[in-house]
Amino acid sequence: MRQLLFKNLGLKILALCLAIILWFLISGRGVSEITREVPIEYINIPPGYEIVKKDHDTVRVSLFGSEVVLGSIKPEDLKVYVDLKDAQPGRGAYRIKKRNIKVPPALTISNVTPSKVHIFLDRTVRKKVPVNPDISGEPAPGKYISQIIIKPEEVEVEGPESMLKKISAVRTEPVDVSGLDENSINKGQYSIGYTCCKINNGESRCTHHYQGRNKKMKLFGTDGIRGRVNRNPMTPEIVLKVGMAAARVLRKDKGRNLILIGKDTRISGYMIESALTSGIC
Protein backbone atom coordinates (compact mmCIF):
# COMPACT_ATOMS: atom_id res chain seq x y z
CA MET A 1 0.00 0.00 0.00
CA ARG A 2 2.83 2.37 0.91
CA GLN A 3 4.55 1.60 -2.38
CA LEU A 4 1.40 2.50 -4.34
CA LEU A 5 1.07 5.78 -2.45
CA PHE A 6 4.60 6.94 -3.24
CA LYS A 7 4.85 5.44 -6.72
CA ASN A 8 5.38 8.20 -9.33
CA LEU A 9 5.24 10.73 -6.50
CA GLY A 10 6.73 13.49 -8.62
CA LEU A 11 4.08 13.15 -11.32
CA LYS A 12 1.32 13.10 -8.72
CA ILE A 13 2.57 16.29 -7.10
CA LEU A 14 2.88 17.96 -10.51
CA ALA A 15 -0.68 16.97 -11.44
CA LEU A 16 -1.98 18.33 -8.14
CA CYS A 17 -0.17 21.65 -8.68
CA LEU A 18 -1.59 21.97 -12.20
CA ALA A 19 -5.11 21.27 -10.91
CA ILE A 20 -4.73 23.94 -8.21
CA ILE A 21 -3.39 26.48 -10.71
CA LEU A 22 -6.25 25.72 -13.14
CA TRP A 23 -8.79 26.09 -10.34
CA PHE A 24 -7.41 29.50 -9.37
CA LEU A 25 -7.43 30.64 -13.00
CA ILE A 26 -11.10 29.70 -13.43
CA SER A 27 -12.33 30.84 -10.02
CA GLY A 28 -10.33 34.02 -10.31
CA ARG A 29 -12.68 35.18 -13.03
CA GLY A 30 -15.55 34.90 -10.52
CA VAL A 31 -19.00 33.48 -10.81
CA SER A 32 -22.05 35.04 -12.36
CA GLU A 33 -25.65 34.42 -13.49
CA ILE A 34 -27.19 34.74 -16.93
CA THR A 35 -30.63 34.09 -18.41
CA ARG A 36 -31.24 32.47 -21.80
CA GLU A 37 -34.40 32.01 -23.88
CA VAL A 38 -34.64 28.30 -24.71
CA PRO A 39 -37.13 26.63 -27.13
CA ILE A 40 -39.42 23.96 -25.65
CA GLU A 41 -39.32 20.48 -27.16
CA TYR A 42 -42.41 18.32 -26.57
CA ILE A 43 -41.55 14.63 -26.39
CA ASN A 44 -43.49 11.35 -26.06
CA ILE A 45 -46.71 12.72 -27.58
CA PRO A 46 -49.27 9.87 -27.37
CA PRO A 47 -49.79 8.08 -30.73
CA GLY A 48 -52.83 9.35 -32.59
CA TYR A 49 -52.81 12.74 -30.85
CA GLU A 50 -51.32 16.14 -31.60
CA ILE A 51 -50.84 19.52 -29.97
CA VAL A 52 -53.47 22.03 -31.12
CA LYS A 53 -52.66 24.98 -28.84
CA LYS A 54 -49.83 25.93 -26.49
CA ASP A 55 -49.31 29.11 -24.52
CA HIS A 56 -45.49 29.12 -24.68
CA ASP A 57 -42.89 28.13 -27.27
CA THR A 58 -39.89 29.12 -25.13
CA VAL A 59 -38.90 29.45 -21.47
CA ARG A 60 -36.35 31.66 -19.73
CA VAL A 61 -33.67 29.60 -17.97
CA SER A 62 -31.38 31.33 -15.44
CA LEU A 63 -27.95 29.71 -15.00
CA PHE A 64 -25.38 30.20 -12.23
CA GLY A 65 -21.72 29.33 -12.48
CA SER A 66 -18.25 30.31 -13.63
CA GLU A 67 -18.05 33.28 -15.99
CA VAL A 68 -15.68 31.29 -18.21
CA VAL A 69 -18.22 28.49 -18.68
CA LEU A 70 -21.16 30.89 -19.01
CA GLY A 71 -19.34 32.82 -21.72
CA SER A 72 -18.75 29.69 -23.81
CA ILE A 73 -22.37 28.47 -23.88
CA LYS A 74 -23.78 27.70 -27.34
CA PRO A 75 -27.54 27.46 -28.19
CA GLU A 76 -27.27 23.71 -28.71
CA ASP A 77 -25.91 23.29 -25.17
CA LEU A 78 -29.31 24.18 -23.68
CA LYS A 79 -32.41 21.97 -24.09
CA VAL A 80 -35.82 22.10 -22.42
CA TYR A 81 -38.13 19.09 -22.70
CA VAL A 82 -41.79 18.67 -21.73
CA ASP A 83 -42.64 14.98 -21.39
CA LEU A 84 -46.22 14.18 -22.54
CA LYS A 85 -46.00 10.45 -21.87
CA ASP A 86 -48.90 10.51 -19.38
CA ALA A 87 -50.79 13.40 -21.02
CA GLN A 88 -54.58 13.26 -21.31
CA PRO A 89 -56.71 14.63 -24.20
CA GLY A 90 -57.92 18.20 -23.77
CA ARG A 91 -56.35 21.17 -22.00
CA GLY A 92 -53.73 20.45 -19.37
CA ALA A 93 -50.93 22.10 -17.39
CA TYR A 94 -47.47 20.50 -17.47
CA ARG A 95 -44.68 21.48 -15.11
CA ILE A 96 -41.17 22.04 -16.46
CA LYS A 97 -38.95 19.94 -14.24
CA LYS A 98 -35.23 20.67 -13.80
CA ARG A 99 -34.36 17.09 -14.66
CA ASN A 100 -35.83 17.75 -18.12
CA ILE A 101 -33.52 20.73 -18.71
CA LYS A 102 -30.14 20.00 -20.28
CA VAL A 103 -27.30 22.39 -19.35
CA PRO A 104 -23.49 22.04 -19.17
CA PRO A 105 -22.45 20.03 -16.06
CA ALA A 106 -20.50 22.92 -14.50
CA LEU A 107 -23.60 25.14 -14.32
CA THR A 108 -26.54 25.25 -11.90
CA ILE A 109 -30.15 26.07 -12.85
CA SER A 110 -31.31 28.85 -10.55
CA ASN A 111 -34.71 29.64 -12.07
CA VAL A 112 -37.13 28.68 -14.87
CA THR A 113 -39.86 31.03 -16.13
CA PRO A 114 -42.60 30.00 -16.66
CA SER A 115 -42.47 26.95 -14.45
CA LYS A 116 -45.31 25.25 -16.34
CA VAL A 117 -47.00 25.40 -19.73
CA HIS A 118 -50.59 24.85 -20.86
CA ILE A 119 -51.32 22.86 -23.99
CA PHE A 120 -54.41 21.46 -25.70
CA LEU A 121 -54.02 17.88 -26.90
CA ASP A 122 -56.51 16.56 -29.45
CA ARG A 123 -57.11 13.32 -31.33
CA THR A 124 -55.95 13.15 -34.96
CA VAL A 125 -58.77 12.12 -37.32
CA ARG A 126 -59.51 12.03 -41.05
CA LYS A 127 -62.57 12.81 -43.13
CA LYS A 128 -63.52 13.44 -46.75
CA VAL A 129 -64.86 16.83 -47.79
CA PRO A 130 -65.93 18.29 -51.17
CA VAL A 131 -63.78 20.69 -53.16
CA ASN A 132 -65.30 24.07 -54.11
CA PRO A 133 -63.82 26.32 -56.81
CA ASP A 134 -62.74 29.85 -55.91
CA ILE A 135 -63.54 31.91 -59.01
CA SER A 136 -62.97 35.62 -59.53
CA GLY A 137 -63.44 37.98 -62.45
CA GLU A 138 -65.90 37.97 -65.34
CA PRO A 139 -65.58 36.14 -68.69
CA ALA A 140 -65.44 38.01 -72.00
CA PRO A 141 -68.51 40.10 -72.91
CA GLY A 142 -71.42 37.89 -73.95
CA LYS A 143 -69.83 34.80 -72.40
CA TYR A 144 -70.46 32.90 -69.18
CA ILE A 145 -69.07 29.86 -67.39
CA SER A 146 -71.29 26.96 -68.38
CA GLN A 147 -69.53 24.18 -66.46
CA ILE A 148 -66.91 23.67 -63.81
CA ILE A 149 -65.45 20.20 -63.30
CA ILE A 150 -63.37 19.54 -60.19
CA LYS A 151 -60.99 16.58 -60.13
CA PRO A 152 -61.02 15.08 -57.59
CA GLU A 153 -64.44 16.16 -56.31
CA GLU A 154 -63.51 15.13 -52.76
CA VAL A 155 -60.27 15.11 -50.78
CA GLU A 156 -59.27 13.54 -47.49
CA VAL A 157 -58.34 16.02 -44.77
CA GLU A 158 -56.34 15.07 -41.68
CA GLY A 159 -56.01 17.06 -38.48
CA PRO A 160 -57.23 17.61 -34.91
CA GLU A 161 -60.79 16.44 -34.33
CA SER A 162 -61.87 19.81 -32.91
CA MET A 163 -60.65 21.59 -36.06
CA LEU A 164 -62.04 19.09 -38.59
CA LYS A 165 -65.53 19.65 -37.16
CA LYS A 166 -65.30 23.21 -38.51
CA ILE A 167 -64.28 22.14 -42.02
CA SER A 168 -67.15 21.29 -44.38
CA ALA A 169 -65.24 21.83 -47.64
CA VAL A 170 -61.91 22.98 -49.06
CA ARG A 171 -61.41 25.56 -51.77
CA THR A 172 -59.10 25.73 -54.72
CA GLU A 173 -56.62 28.53 -55.13
CA PRO A 174 -58.28 31.69 -56.53
CA VAL A 175 -58.65 31.43 -60.31
CA ASP A 176 -59.15 34.60 -62.37
CA VAL A 177 -61.43 34.02 -65.39
CA SER A 178 -61.40 37.64 -66.57
CA GLY A 179 -61.76 37.80 -70.35
CA LEU A 180 -62.29 34.03 -70.73
CA ASP A 181 -63.94 33.11 -74.06
CA GLU A 182 -62.85 29.49 -74.57
CA ASN A 183 -62.15 26.31 -72.66
CA SER A 184 -59.19 26.42 -70.29
CA ILE A 185 -57.55 24.21 -67.68
CA ASN A 186 -56.04 25.49 -64.45
CA LYS A 187 -54.09 23.62 -61.80
CA GLY A 188 -53.52 24.80 -58.28
CA GLN A 189 -53.19 23.92 -54.62
CA TYR A 190 -56.04 23.55 -52.16
CA SER A 191 -56.85 26.04 -49.43
CA ILE A 192 -58.05 24.71 -46.05
CA GLY A 193 -57.85 27.75 -43.82
CA TYR A 194 -56.30 25.88 -40.86
CA THR A 195 -52.53 25.42 -40.71
CA CYS A 196 -52.84 22.43 -38.36
CA CYS A 197 -54.75 20.41 -40.99
CA LYS A 198 -53.40 18.81 -44.14
CA ILE A 199 -54.71 17.12 -47.28
CA ASN A 200 -53.73 13.50 -47.93
CA ASN A 201 -54.28 13.47 -51.70
CA GLY A 202 -50.86 13.18 -53.27
CA GLU A 203 -49.62 16.53 -54.52
CA SER A 204 -52.86 18.26 -53.43
CA ARG A 205 -53.54 19.54 -56.93
CA CYS A 206 -56.81 19.86 -58.83
CA THR A 207 -57.92 20.68 -62.36
CA HIS A 208 -60.62 23.18 -63.36
CA HIS A 209 -62.39 23.16 -66.71
CA TYR A 210 -64.02 26.37 -67.91
CA GLN A 211 -66.15 26.82 -70.99
CA GLY A 212 -67.51 30.03 -72.50
CA ARG A 213 -70.69 29.99 -74.58
CA ASN A 214 -72.97 32.56 -76.14
CA LYS A 215 -76.24 30.75 -75.36
CA LYS A 216 -78.30 31.67 -72.32
CA MET A 217 -77.92 29.72 -69.11
CA LYS A 218 -80.81 27.36 -68.35
CA LEU A 219 -81.65 27.42 -64.64
CA PHE A 220 -85.20 26.16 -64.20
CA GLY A 221 -86.06 22.52 -64.72
CA THR A 222 -89.30 20.67 -63.96
CA ASP A 223 -88.63 21.06 -60.20
CA GLY A 224 -87.18 24.56 -60.25
CA ILE A 225 -83.47 25.22 -59.68
CA ARG A 226 -81.78 22.16 -58.25
CA GLY A 227 -78.18 21.17 -57.62
CA ARG A 228 -75.48 20.65 -55.05
CA VAL A 229 -74.91 23.57 -52.71
CA ASN A 230 -71.96 25.84 -53.64
CA ARG A 231 -71.86 24.22 -57.07
CA ASN A 232 -73.26 25.84 -60.19
CA PRO A 233 -76.14 26.79 -60.25
CA MET A 234 -76.72 26.57 -56.47
CA THR A 235 -74.29 29.33 -55.56
CA PRO A 236 -74.98 32.55 -53.60
CA GLU A 237 -74.10 34.62 -56.68
CA ILE A 238 -76.73 32.96 -58.88
CA VAL A 239 -79.38 32.94 -56.13
CA LEU A 240 -78.75 36.67 -55.63
CA LYS A 241 -79.34 37.31 -59.33
CA VAL A 242 -82.52 35.19 -59.27
CA GLY A 243 -83.82 37.36 -56.44
CA MET A 244 -82.98 40.53 -58.38
CA ALA A 245 -84.73 39.19 -61.48
CA ALA A 246 -87.84 38.22 -59.49
CA ALA A 247 -88.02 41.67 -57.91
CA ARG A 248 -87.69 43.34 -61.32
CA VAL A 249 -90.56 41.29 -62.75
CA LEU A 250 -92.84 41.87 -59.74
CA ARG A 251 -92.06 45.58 -59.77
CA LYS A 252 -93.87 45.85 -63.12
CA ASP A 253 -97.19 44.93 -61.46
CA LYS A 254 -99.10 47.73 -59.83
CA GLY A 255 -99.82 47.54 -56.14
CA ARG A 256 -97.98 45.91 -53.31
CA ASN A 257 -96.49 42.44 -53.85
CA LEU A 258 -95.90 39.90 -51.10
CA ILE A 259 -93.03 37.39 -51.45
CA LEU A 260 -93.06 34.29 -49.25
CA ILE A 261 -89.74 32.43 -48.78
CA GLY A 262 -89.84 28.91 -47.36
CA LYS A 263 -86.98 26.59 -46.47
CA ASP A 264 -86.25 23.35 -44.61
CA THR A 265 -83.82 22.81 -41.72
CA ARG A 266 -80.71 22.19 -43.81
CA ILE A 267 -77.90 24.63 -42.99
CA SER A 268 -77.49 25.59 -46.66
CA GLY A 269 -81.08 26.91 -46.60
CA TYR A 270 -80.02 29.88 -44.46
CA MET A 271 -77.31 30.83 -46.96
CA ILE A 272 -79.72 30.57 -49.89
CA GLU A 273 -82.37 32.54 -48.01
CA SER A 274 -79.91 35.38 -47.27
CA ALA A 275 -78.73 35.56 -50.89
CA LEU A 276 -82.29 35.51 -52.24
CA THR A 277 -83.46 38.16 -49.77
CA SER A 278 -80.50 40.40 -50.66
CA GLY A 279 -81.42 40.16 -54.35
CA ILE A 280 -85.08 40.97 -53.77
CA CYS A 281 -84.34 43.93 -51.52
PDB file of all heavy atoms in Angstrom, residues 216-227 233-234 238-239 241-243 245-246 249 276:
ATOM      1  N   LYS A 216     -77.862  31.308 -73.655  1.00  0.00           N
ATOM      2  CA  LYS A 216     -78.304  31.666 -72.324  1.00  0.00           C
ATOM      3  C   LYS A 216     -78.236  30.474 -71.385  1.00  0.00           C
ATOM      4  O   LYS A 216     -78.414  29.340 -71.797  1.00  0.00           O
ATOM      5  CB  LYS A 216     -79.739  32.205 -72.386  1.00  0.00           C
ATOM      6  CG  LYS A 216     -79.859  33.529 -73.130  1.00  0.00           C
ATOM      7  CD  LYS A 216     -81.284  34.024 -73.100  1.00  0.00           C
ATOM      8  CE  LYS A 216     -81.407  35.359 -73.830  1.00  0.00           C
ATOM      9  NZ  LYS A 216     -82.804  35.848 -73.809  1.00  0.00           N
ATOM     10  N   MET A 217     -77.992  30.758 -70.121  1.00  0.00           N
ATOM     11  CA  MET A 217     -77.921  29.715 -69.110  1.00  0.00           C
ATOM     12  C   MET A 217     -79.332  29.243 -68.753  1.00  0.00           C
ATOM     13  O   MET A 217     -80.219  30.053 -68.480  1.00  0.00           O
ATOM     14  CB  MET A 217     -77.220  30.242 -67.854  1.00  0.00           C
ATOM     15  CG  MET A 217     -77.067  29.200 -66.763  1.00  0.00           C
ATOM     16  SD  MET A 217     -76.428  29.910 -65.227  1.00  0.00           S
ATOM     17  CE  MET A 217     -74.824  30.467 -65.771  1.00  0.00           C
ATOM     18  N   LYS A 218     -79.527  27.940 -68.732  1.00  0.00           N
ATOM     19  CA  LYS A 218     -80.807  27.364 -68.347  1.00  0.00           C
ATOM     20  C   LYS A 218     -80.759  27.005 -66.865  1.00  0.00           C
ATOM     21  O   LYS A 218     -79.953  26.195 -66.448  1.00  0.00           O
ATOM     22  CB  LYS A 218     -81.110  26.120 -69.180  1.00  0.00           C
ATOM     23  CG  LYS A 218     -82.474  25.505 -68.859  1.00  0.00           C
ATOM     24  CD  LYS A 218     -82.749  24.296 -69.733  1.00  0.00           C
ATOM     25  CE  LYS A 218     -84.101  23.679 -69.384  1.00  0.00           C
ATOM     26  NZ  LYS A 218     -84.385  22.487 -70.195  1.00  0.00           N
ATOM     27  N   LEU A 219     -81.641  27.649 -66.072  1.00  0.00           N
ATOM     28  CA  LEU A 219     -81.651  27.419 -64.636  1.00  0.00           C
ATOM     29  C   LEU A 219     -82.813  26.547 -64.199  1.00  0.00           C
ATOM     30  O   LEU A 219     -82.644  25.650 -63.382  1.00  0.00           O
ATOM     31  CB  LEU A 219     -81.725  28.767 -63.891  1.00  0.00           C
ATOM     32  CG  LEU A 219     -80.504  29.676 -64.004  1.00  0.00           C
ATOM     33  CD1 LEU A 219     -80.784  30.984 -63.271  1.00  0.00           C
ATOM     34  CD2 LEU A 219     -79.275  29.004 -63.411  1.00  0.00           C
ATOM     35  N   PHE A 220     -83.989  26.805 -64.717  1.00  0.00           N
ATOM     36  CA  PHE A 220     -85.203  26.161 -64.202  1.00  0.00           C
ATOM     37  C   PHE A 220     -85.509  24.870 -64.955  1.00  0.00           C
ATOM     38  O   PHE A 220     -85.622  24.856 -66.187  1.00  0.00           O
ATOM     39  CB  PHE A 220     -86.393  27.116 -64.314  1.00  0.00           C
ATOM     40  CG  PHE A 220     -86.286  28.304 -63.412  1.00  0.00           C
ATOM     41  CD1 PHE A 220     -85.653  29.466 -63.841  1.00  0.00           C
ATOM     42  CD2 PHE A 220     -86.786  28.262 -62.130  1.00  0.00           C
ATOM     43  CE1 PHE A 220     -85.537  30.568 -63.004  1.00  0.00           C
ATOM     44  CE2 PHE A 220     -86.683  29.363 -61.281  1.00  0.00           C
ATOM     45  CZ  PHE A 220     -86.059  30.507 -61.722  1.00  0.00           C
ATOM     46  N   GLY A 221     -85.610  23.785 -64.172  1.00  0.00           N
ATOM     47  CA  GLY A 221     -86.063  22.516 -64.720  1.00  0.00           C
ATOM     48  C   GLY A 221     -87.496  22.261 -64.308  1.00  0.00           C
ATOM     49  O   GLY A 221     -88.232  23.170 -63.929  1.00  0.00           O
ATOM     50  N   THR A 222     -87.913  21.000 -64.338  1.00  0.00           N
ATOM     51  CA  THR A 222     -89.295  20.675 -63.963  1.00  0.00           C
ATOM     52  C   THR A 222     -89.546  20.913 -62.476  1.00  0.00           C
ATOM     53  O   THR A 222     -90.679  21.152 -62.057  1.00  0.00           O
ATOM     54  CB  THR A 222     -89.592  19.208 -64.301  1.00  0.00           C
ATOM     55  OG1 THR A 222     -88.605  18.382 -63.660  1.00  0.00           O
ATOM     56  CG2 THR A 222     -89.544  18.966 -65.807  1.00  0.00           C
ATOM     57  N   ASP A 223     -88.496  20.849 -61.644  1.00  0.00           N
ATOM     58  CA  ASP A 223     -88.631  21.056 -60.200  1.00  0.00           C
ATOM     59  C   ASP A 223     -87.951  22.343 -59.745  1.00  0.00           C
ATOM     60  O   ASP A 223     -87.511  22.457 -58.597  1.00  0.00           O
ATOM     61  CB  ASP A 223     -88.033  19.862 -59.435  1.00  0.00           C
ATOM     62  CG  ASP A 223     -88.774  18.568 -59.719  1.00  0.00           C
ATOM     63  OD1 ASP A 223     -90.013  18.626 -59.843  1.00  0.00           O
ATOM     64  OD2 ASP A 223     -88.115  17.524 -59.817  1.00  0.00           O
ATOM     65  N   GLY A 224     -87.824  23.315 -60.624  1.00  0.00           N
ATOM     66  CA  GLY A 224     -87.176  24.556 -60.251  1.00  0.00           C
ATOM     67  C   GLY A 224     -85.663  24.465 -60.429  1.00  0.00           C
ATOM     68  O   GLY A 224     -85.158  23.699 -61.254  1.00  0.00           O
ATOM     69  N   ILE A 225     -84.934  25.236 -59.630  1.00  0.00           N
ATOM     70  CA  ILE A 225     -83.466  25.216 -59.682  1.00  0.00           C
ATOM     71  C   ILE A 225     -82.973  24.195 -58.667  1.00  0.00           C
ATOM     72  O   ILE A 225     -83.233  24.318 -57.470  1.00  0.00           O
ATOM     73  CB  ILE A 225     -82.879  26.602 -59.365  1.00  0.00           C
ATOM     74  CG1 ILE A 225     -83.445  27.660 -60.309  1.00  0.00           C
ATOM     75  CG2 ILE A 225     -81.350  26.570 -59.465  1.00  0.00           C
ATOM     76  CD1 ILE A 225     -82.997  29.074 -59.979  1.00  0.00           C
ATOM     77  N   ARG A 226     -82.272  23.204 -59.139  1.00  0.00           N
ATOM     78  CA  ARG A 226     -81.778  22.156 -58.251  1.00  0.00           C
ATOM     79  C   ARG A 226     -80.284  21.954 -58.488  1.00  0.00           C
ATOM     80  O   ARG A 226     -79.757  22.247 -59.559  1.00  0.00           O
ATOM     81  CB  ARG A 226     -82.514  20.828 -58.476  1.00  0.00           C
ATOM     82  CG  ARG A 226     -84.008  20.907 -58.195  1.00  0.00           C
ATOM     83  CD  ARG A 226     -84.677  19.565 -58.423  1.00  0.00           C
ATOM     84  NE  ARG A 226     -84.161  18.543 -57.525  1.00  0.00           N
ATOM     85  CZ  ARG A 226     -84.615  18.344 -56.287  1.00  0.00           C
ATOM     86  NH1 ARG A 226     -85.594  19.109 -55.818  1.00  0.00           N
ATOM     87  NH2 ARG A 226     -84.119  17.398 -55.536  1.00  0.00           N
ATOM     88  N   GLY A 227     -79.610  21.444 -57.482  1.00  0.00           N
ATOM     89  CA  GLY A 227     -78.182  21.168 -57.619  1.00  0.00           C
ATOM     90  C   GLY A 227     -77.523  21.045 -56.261  1.00  0.00           C
ATOM     91  O   GLY A 227     -78.172  21.206 -55.214  1.00  0.00           O
ATOM     92  N   PRO A 233     -75.726  25.387 -60.416  1.00  0.00           N
ATOM     93  CA  PRO A 233     -76.135  26.794 -60.252  1.00  0.00           C
ATOM     94  C   PRO A 233     -76.516  27.173 -58.818  1.00  0.00           C
ATOM     95  O   PRO A 233     -77.009  28.273 -58.610  1.00  0.00           O
ATOM     96  CB  PRO A 233     -77.365  26.865 -61.149  1.00  0.00           C
ATOM     97  CG  PRO A 233     -78.009  25.526 -60.978  1.00  0.00           C
ATOM     98  CD  PRO A 233     -76.869  24.538 -60.825  1.00  0.00           C
ATOM     99  N   MET A 234     -76.307  26.287 -57.847  1.00  0.00           N
ATOM    100  CA  MET A 234     -76.718  26.573 -56.469  1.00  0.00           C
ATOM    101  C   MET A 234     -75.624  27.311 -55.713  1.00  0.00           C
ATOM    102  O   MET A 234     -75.088  26.842 -54.711  1.00  0.00           O
ATOM    103  CB  MET A 234     -77.097  25.276 -55.751  1.00  0.00           C
ATOM    104  CG  MET A 234     -78.320  24.586 -56.322  1.00  0.00           C
ATOM    105  SD  MET A 234     -79.795  25.622 -56.262  1.00  0.00           S
ATOM    106  CE  MET A 234     -80.053  25.715 -54.504  1.00  0.00           C
ATOM    107  N   ILE A 238     -75.598  33.202 -57.983  1.00  0.00           N
ATOM    108  CA  ILE A 238     -76.729  32.960 -58.881  1.00  0.00           C
ATOM    109  C   ILE A 238     -78.054  33.183 -58.160  1.00  0.00           C
ATOM    110  O   ILE A 238     -79.000  33.765 -58.711  1.00  0.00           O
ATOM    111  CB  ILE A 238     -76.648  31.533 -59.466  1.00  0.00           C
ATOM    112  CG1 ILE A 238     -75.437  31.443 -60.406  1.00  0.00           C
ATOM    113  CG2 ILE A 238     -77.929  31.166 -60.203  1.00  0.00           C
ATOM    114  CD1 ILE A 238     -75.243  30.093 -61.049  1.00  0.00           C
ATOM    115  N   VAL A 239     -78.145  32.734 -56.899  1.00  0.00           N
ATOM    116  CA  VAL A 239     -79.380  32.937 -56.130  1.00  0.00           C
ATOM    117  C   VAL A 239     -79.649  34.432 -55.954  1.00  0.00           C
ATOM    118  O   VAL A 239     -80.799  34.888 -56.019  1.00  0.00           O
ATOM    119  CB  VAL A 239     -79.287  32.239 -54.762  1.00  0.00           C
ATOM    120  CG1 VAL A 239     -80.521  32.552 -53.916  1.00  0.00           C
ATOM    121  CG2 VAL A 239     -79.157  30.733 -54.944  1.00  0.00           C
ATOM    122  N   LYS A 241     -78.846  36.796 -58.056  1.00  0.00           N
ATOM    123  CA  LYS A 241     -79.343  37.309 -59.326  1.00  0.00           C
ATOM    124  C   LYS A 241     -80.780  36.869 -59.581  1.00  0.00           C
ATOM    125  O   LYS A 241     -81.571  37.612 -60.187  1.00  0.00           O
ATOM    126  CB  LYS A 241     -78.425  36.848 -60.462  1.00  0.00           C
ATOM    127  CG  LYS A 241     -77.039  37.482 -60.412  1.00  0.00           C
ATOM    128  CD  LYS A 241     -76.147  36.979 -61.526  1.00  0.00           C
ATOM    129  CE  LYS A 241     -74.766  37.636 -61.455  1.00  0.00           C
ATOM    130  NZ  LYS A 241     -73.862  37.139 -62.518  1.00  0.00           N
ATOM    131  N   VAL A 242     -81.137  35.654 -59.137  1.00  0.00           N
ATOM    132  CA  VAL A 242     -82.522  35.188 -59.271  1.00  0.00           C
ATOM    133  C   VAL A 242     -83.453  36.099 -58.464  1.00  0.00           C
ATOM    134  O   VAL A 242     -84.545  36.481 -58.919  1.00  0.00           O
ATOM    135  CB  VAL A 242     -82.653  33.725 -58.800  1.00  0.00           C
ATOM    136  CG1 VAL A 242     -84.116  33.311 -58.689  1.00  0.00           C
ATOM    137  CG2 VAL A 242     -81.943  32.793 -59.771  1.00  0.00           C
ATOM    138  N   GLY A 243     -83.014  36.453 -57.246  1.00  0.00           N
ATOM    139  CA  GLY A 243     -83.822  37.364 -56.437  1.00  0.00           C
ATOM    140  C   GLY A 243     -83.984  38.728 -57.100  1.00  0.00           C
ATOM    141  O   GLY A 243     -85.071  39.323 -57.086  1.00  0.00           O
ATOM    142  N   ALA A 245     -83.854  39.349 -60.317  1.00  0.00           N
ATOM    143  CA  ALA A 245     -84.726  39.193 -61.481  1.00  0.00           C
ATOM    144  C   ALA A 245     -86.190  39.099 -61.064  1.00  0.00           C
ATOM    145  O   ALA A 245     -87.083  39.693 -61.699  1.00  0.00           O
ATOM    146  CB  ALA A 245     -84.318  37.948 -62.267  1.00  0.00           C
ATOM    147  N   ALA A 246     -86.453  38.350 -59.970  1.00  0.00           N
ATOM    148  CA  ALA A 246     -87.836  38.221 -59.492  1.00  0.00           C
ATOM    149  C   ALA A 246     -88.388  39.573 -59.059  1.00  0.00           C
ATOM    150  O   ALA A 246     -89.542  39.915 -59.343  1.00  0.00           O
ATOM    151  CB  ALA A 246     -87.884  37.224 -58.333  1.00  0.00           C
ATOM    152  N   VAL A 249     -89.314  41.706 -62.102  1.00  0.00           N
ATOM    153  CA  VAL A 249     -90.564  41.292 -62.746  1.00  0.00           C
ATOM    154  C   VAL A 249     -91.771  41.735 -61.922  1.00  0.00           C
ATOM    155  O   VAL A 249     -92.755  42.275 -62.447  1.00  0.00           O
ATOM    156  CB  VAL A 249     -90.583  39.763 -62.946  1.00  0.00           C
ATOM    157  CG1 VAL A 249     -91.957  39.304 -63.425  1.00  0.00           C
ATOM    158  CG2 VAL A 249     -89.522  39.352 -63.964  1.00  0.00           C
ATOM    159  N   LEU A 276     -81.051  35.191 -51.537  1.00  0.00           N
ATOM    160  CA  LEU A 276     -82.287  35.511 -52.241  1.00  0.00           C
ATOM    161  C   LEU A 276     -82.901  36.805 -51.715  1.00  0.00           C
ATOM    162  O   LEU A 276     -83.342  37.665 -52.476  1.00  0.00           O
ATOM    163  CB  LEU A 276     -83.279  34.343 -52.100  1.00  0.00           C
ATOM    164  CG  LEU A 276     -84.589  34.448 -52.883  1.00  0.00           C
ATOM    165  CD1 LEU A 276     -84.297  34.514 -54.374  1.00  0.00           C
ATOM    166  CD2 LEU A 276     -85.499  33.251 -52.570  1.00  0.00           C
TER     167      LEU A 276
END
